Amino acid sequence: NLISAFLNANAVDEIYAFVAPKLLGERARDAFNTQNVLDLSVCREFNLHKTKRYGNDVLLHYLLED
């Protein structure tokens, strides 16, 4: 999908992610798929920049670490 393509091309510098207390089950779809990284020292890291609560849900805003 398009999100995965941008992530795998290192073309993303910020991420907005919602966390919601809902269990979707085994048939749920992943938001995106990235290339497997076997060494954590080479992972792209994002820093938590901001959070905002919407009822029981939380929006997380991450920025790419410099």
Side-chain angles (χ1 to χ4, degrees):
N1 73 32
L2 187 58
I3 296 170
S4 299
F6 276 99
L7 286 166
N8 289 326
N10 292 328
V12 174
D13 60 2
E14 64 182 322
I15 296 173
Y16 288 88
F18 270 97
V19 177
K22 296 172 179 50
L23 299 176
L24 301 178
E26 65 184 38
R27 292 188 183 177
R29 293 183 51 186
D30 295 332
F32 52 84
N33 293 307
T34 58
Q35 297 169 346
N36 290 331
V37 176
L38 300 177
D39 183 355
L40 292 179
S41 68
V42 298
C43 288
R44 297 180 72 211
E45 291 197 32
F46 291 81
N47 291 321
L48 183 60
H49 175 67
K50 215 185 288 187
T51 63
K52 185 166 184 177
R53 187 173 178 165
Y54 294 90
N56 286 330
D57 301 345
V58 178
L59 173 61
L60 306 172
H61 179 199
Y62 288 92
L63 298 175
L64 185 62
E65 186 175 89
D66 291 332

